[in-house]
Amino acid sequence: MTDLLTPVLSANWGTAKSWDIGAYAAGGGYAALDKAFAMTPDQVTELVKDAGLRGRGGAGFPTGMKWSFVPKDNPNPKYLVVNADESEPGTCKDIPLLLASPHTLVEGMIIASYAIGCHTAFVYIRGEVLHVVRRLRNAVEQAYAAGHLGKDIHGSGYDLDIIVHAGAGAYICGEETALLDSLEGRRGQPRLRPPFPAVAGLYASPTVINNVESIATVPSIVVNGSSWFSAMGTEKSKGMTIYSLSGHVTRPGQFEAPLGVTLRELLELSGGIRDGHQLKFWTPGGSSTPILTGEHLDVPLDYEGMAGVGSMLGTKALQVFDETVSVVRTTLRWVEFYKHESCGKCTPCREGSWWLVQLLKQFEDGVAAPGDVDKLLDICDNIGGKSFCALADGAVACVTSAVRHFRPEFEAGYHTPARELFPYGRSALFEVPEGSHA
Amino acid sequence: MSGHEFKSFFPDSGEVDMADTSTNIDETTIAELRELAARYPQPRSALLPMLHLVQSVDGRVSPAGIEACADVLGITTAQVSGVATFYTMYRRRPAGKHHVGVCTTALCAVMGGDALLERVEHKLGIGPDETTADGTFSLERIECNAACDFAPVMMVNWEFMDNMTPEKAEKLIDDLADGKDVASTRGATITSWREAERVLAGFPDGRADEGPSAGEASLLGKSIADAKGWAAPKPEETAL
């Protein structure tokens, strides 16, 4: 039985100048490189497969398997692209990782690139995090100066360049094919698949796209072995991962634990719901994952556990809301986000998210017409699963799950404004003056 | 004339202001745009960084900036405009010296973000997507900025301002207006939006070593684990 918390990726975040190569190397950083170079690329891929590492960006696809899909006989260059466009509402794990320990990602990228035979790798980082961009660029420069990047790395004969690319504000670019279009200097709009990026990705060449945390996990697997990694977690969800607890909890923060920990356990560590309040609803992995309630406190936070209760593990972004919060208000705000971020390519998403916002505003204002809950669900039914990418699915997941768990609260929107039922100021962490519209 | 004018539903959308032809783009800028294009296997990949650079020079995406990008990349100005109007960080009207963001996505909103925005609007006398008459501040209602464990969150020139309150927000604005040194809670000393845009474009400002490694919330799990003596297993305990 492993401990309740198992800091690996976050173990060095509190050390002095943790972002600097000196501190990183002093803690054993870059030791995985020679170990990886002593193996064949295929052996590295097999090691990651054996460990059972699954993608930490939301979908949970096995990382090693993704690498093995890159065709060996394709004459084009191969590319690794790290998705650091962390923008899913509630998700806040990759940004602190990159701020505190950007070298962990750089080391992981070198190993992953070696495994797939790539010589140019990219980090696509959202633009709205200036200091994280600074730290990451600084880390890449330091890695070149130390001989971990460039030509003939560590005398292995292997060459790699890393390009850090800052985005410009578009949630959709976290979707891997939209990210590729954006990285090619276009509007970030998803591509139809097939062909999959492993065959025709960046510049129509074989491309692997992985989340920051997935790649940052690789050095620890190389150093400690696949059985070390798979000793943590559950049968099908192996290893440790970062859970981000936010919202109405006494102490929000990042918790690195084996997959399968429960929200009840994490809440106990964080001092529970804020004083004098009770849990109302929560998301397991960002706003695109269907909401859950107090009934689900003991469900393992792993891929299977969350799927078993009709949700998804997603990015492990546990947003916790207490009884003061209007679920109608929250749902509307999430859907406004999706409406704004819909890239406009697919009609059901572009138009449907617009209609959802209009209708949900009427619920919030208490002027929805009797029967509009069914209209809401009907519109959702016409959006979900009918677009190129999963943005639309996320937009409807928060609505359908909110109605599933809190239908009477939506029906109250036929006659009573949400702010009367749930005075908004009570949800704030500070006193909101009388007469505020907020 | 049909009498029907297209009006976008999106408050921050709209075309690039072609009437304002002022520009600071010179040969140095063109050389830097070329340098960015040369960093990628295919030059067009540099378009997003190039537009960040245009903003740092002209304070917005200017018509001259669009033409310069198109010239350097050998694509049309329509192609560049199409990209410039897709991404929210590109401003079609001049941004302020300091660009202030208040997160009003669901979690920040309910925890006080809506009230913060109201207070900041009142303090600055402008609404979202507007710039103060003296050009010191512009305001944006921002979306989730990946700092939810520090909610409610504001940003200044894309630097974190964590755990905000209305009082802190007012002081922040006063201090910036007075030209005092203001440090991000998890970042560097605040410079200006234009300088930030230059860093995003890919020209470092040497400030990576400023600020802490992590905020308190980021370190919470690790500090609890340390106090309890919890850790990942040792590799030798798990060997097959």
Side-chain angles (χ1 to χ4, degrees):
Chain A
M1 192 58 200
T2 46
D3 290 336
L4 196 51
L5 295 179
T6 51
V8 176
L9 299 175
S10 59
N12 65 331
W13 291 3
T15 57
K17 277 193 91 173
S18 63
W19 64 87
D20 190 75
I21 195 165
Y24 186 67
Y30 289 108
L33 292 190
D34 287 336
K35 220 172 156 181
F37 291 147
M39 303 161 75
T40 66
D42 285 347
Q43 284 172 331
V44 176
T45 302
E46 281 307 310
L47 178 75
V48 173
K49 267 191 194 171
D50 288 346
L53 173 63
R54 294 171 65 173
R56 302 300 196 226
F61 194 82
T63 304
M65 199 184 294
K66 208 180 215 186
W67 296 359
S68 67
F69 288 159
V70 173
K72 297 213 182 333
D73 53 357
N74 190 310
N76 290 343
K78 295 163 184 69
Y79 295 108
L80 172 74
V81 179
V82 171
N83 184 346
D85 193 54
E86 184 166 66
S87 311
E88 165 81 6
T91 306
C92 50
K93 65 189 178 69
D94 296 336
I95 291 305
L97 189 158
L98 293 174
L99 186 68
S101 191
H103 284 286
T104 313
L105 177 71
V106 174
E107 186 177 12
M109 286 178 73
I110 299 166
I111 299 165
S113 299
Y114 173 72
I116 64 168
C118 128
H119 300 289
T120 307
F122 297 85
V123 186
Y124 187 106
I125 181 165
R126 68 180 300 184
E128 302 98 324
V129 287
L130 177 64
H131 206 53
V132 184
V133 175
R134 283 195 187 104
R135 291 255 167 101
L136 186 56
R137 287 226 171 94
N138 181 60
V140 169
E141 277 174 33
Q142 289 185 328
Y144 272 107
H148 303 316
L149 287 173
K151 300 279 177 211
D152 189 23
I153 300 169
H154 290 207
S156 63
Y158 175 67
D159 306 336
L160 178 67
D161 287 310
I162 290 182
I163 298 171
V164 176
H165 180 92
Y171 166 68
I172 189 61
C173 293
E175 196 283 332
E176 61 178 18
T177 61
L179 186 155
L180 293 176
D181 262 33
S182 179
L183 187 51
E184 290 180 1
R186 299 166 203 281
R187 298 164 80 98
Q189 295 190 313
R191 301 174 178 175
L192 190 61
R193 282 156 289 199
F196 288 92
V199 178
L202 186 68
Y203 313 135
S205 299
T207 304
V208 168
I209 304 148
N210 282 135
N211 168 260
V212 168
E213 188 189 346
S214 311
I215 293 293
T217 303
V218 170
S220 68
I221 294 173
V222 170
V223 168
N224 299 315
S226 58
S227 52
W228 165 82
F229 187 75
S230 58
M232 292 177 275
T234 55
E235 196 195 336
K236 290 181 178 166
S237 301
K238 303 290 192 195
M240 73 292 166
T241 194
I242 301 171
Y243 293 93
S244 310
L245 196 57
S246 63
H248 290 130
V249 295
T250 307
R251 288 188 297 169
Q254 307 294 326
F255 296 85
E256 194 172 355
L259 279 161
V261 72
T262 65
L263 181 59
R264 187 185 302 280
E265 289 169 321
L266 292 176
L267 277 177
E268 274 167 20
L269 295 177
S270 67
I273 304 295
R274 65 176 175 153
D275 202 25
H277 295 275
Q278 303 90 43
L279 173 67
K280 182 172 177 182
F281 63 98
W282 57 287
T283 68
S287 55
S288 299
T289 58
I291 65 166
L292 298 171
T293 67
E295 283 172 51
H296 309 104
L297 277 174
D298 297 309
V299 181
L301 291 167
D302 61 10
Y303 301 100
E304 294 70 36
M306 288 300 105
V309 291
S311 190
M312 286 171 69
L313 184 64
T315 53
K316 305 145 293 145
L318 306 156
Q319 305 176 88
V320 175
F321 298 88
D322 70 18
E323 88 292 345
T324 64
V325 179
S326 158
V327 77
V328 172
R329 175 196 190 193
T330 310
T331 306
L332 167 61
R333 201 54 71 88
W334 276 329
V335 175
E336 283 180 327
F337 171 85
Y338 292 106
K339 175 197 139 193
H340 184 250
E341 292 301 332
S342 172
C343 78
K345 183 163 184 161
C346 308
T347 310
C349 173
R350 182 186 65 238
E351 306 298 321
S353 58
W354 174 255
W355 280 104
L356 284 179
V357 165
Q358 293 213 57
L359 204 47
L360 281 164
K361 273 189 177 145
Q362 294 176 6
F363 279 98
E364 189 188 35
D365 292 341
V367 296
D372 274 356
V373 175
D374 292 319
K375 190 190 278 180
L376 201 58
L377 294 177
D378 189 47
I379 294 175
C380 288
D381 195 41
N382 280 300
I383 300 173
K386 293 180 174 68
S387 301
F388 272 37
C389 83
L391 185 142
D393 303 338
V396 299
C398 60
V399 180
T400 54
S401 60
V403 172
R404 187 183 319 139
H405 296 297
F406 298 97
R407 191 174 177 113
E409 218 178 294
F410 282 86
E411 286 167 348
Y414 298 160
H415 43 74
T416 312
R419 72 168 66 239
E420 269 178 37
L421 296 170
F422 300 91
Y424 288 176
R426 290 186 196 164
S427 303
L429 292 193
F430 44 77
E431 204 163 315
V432 176
E434 287 282 323
S436 166
H437 296 290
Chain B
M1 300 295 282
S2 66
H4 293 284
E5 201 179 332
F6 173 76
K7 190 170 181 302
S8 172
F9 286 116
F10 297 93
D12 61 350
S13 67
E15 291 173 20
V16 171
D17 184 357
M18 301 306 280
D20 180 2
T21 55
S22 63
T23 184
N24 299 314
I25 291 174
D26 58 13
E27 281 174 20
T28 309
T29 315
I30 302 290
E32 286 179 341
L33 290 172
R34 288 191 197 286
E35 184 190 332
L36 289 173
R39 290 183 187 179
Y40 291 83
Q42 295 190 8
R44 183 164 173 171
S45 281
L47 182 51
L48 268 61
M50 289 164 73
L51 287 167
H52 281 303
L53 186 68
V54 165
Q55 298 208 109
S56 79
V57 174
D58 273 350
R60 69 193 196 288
V61 175
S62 57
I66 288 176
E67 276 181 31
C69 290
D71 280 350
V72 167
L73 296 177
I75 58 179
T76 66
T77 52
Q79 286 171 313
V80 178
S81 295
V83 170
T85 51
F86 183 83
Y87 298 91
T88 51
M89 288 180 81
Y90 299 134
R91 321 241 22 116
R92 273 86 83 181
R93 289 168 293 280
K97 178 185 179 194
H98 298 298
H99 187 61
V100 177
V102 182
C103 180
T104 59
T105 303
L107 187 123
C108 272
V110 302
M111 293 179 76
D114 281 356
L116 273 177
L117 178 66
E118 200 176 71
R119 184 74 78 98
V120 172
E121 283 179 358
H122 184 257
K123 175 90 180 164
L124 294 176
I126 55 173
D129 301 312
E130 293 176 0
T131 304
T132 54
D134 66 355
T136 307
F137 293 101
S138 47
L139 180 61
E140 183 178 345
R141 208 184 137 141
I142 61 167
E143 287 173 334
C144 188
N145 222 99
C148 315
D149 45 346
F150 299 94
V153 171
M154 285 177 57
M155 307 294 290
V156 175
N157 306 334
W158 306 117
E159 294 269 22
F160 288 112
M161 294 292 167
D162 298 326
N163 300 119
M164 289 306 288
T165 63
E167 295 72 32
K168 284 189 203 172
E170 295 219 345
K171 183 173 185 319
L172 170 67
I173 288 163
D174 284 337
D175 287 350
L176 289 170
D178 293 346
K180 290 184 186 164
D181 274 356
V182 173
S184 156
T185 48
R186 279 182 299 145
T189 303
I190 299 299
T191 53
S192 69
W193 176 77
R194 288 199 190 193
E195 286 166 273
E197 282 291 318
R198 184 172 172 80
V199 175
L200 294 176
F203 297 98
D205 62 357
R207 293 178 183 269
D209 285 342
E210 291 187 31
S213 62
E216 200 182 319
S218 311
L219 299 172
L220 180 59
K222 165 69 175 153
S223 64
I224 292 173
D226 287 350
K228 304 242 187 200
W230 290 340
K234 291 187 169 53
E236 54 271 23
E237 293 166 1
T238 59
L240 290 175

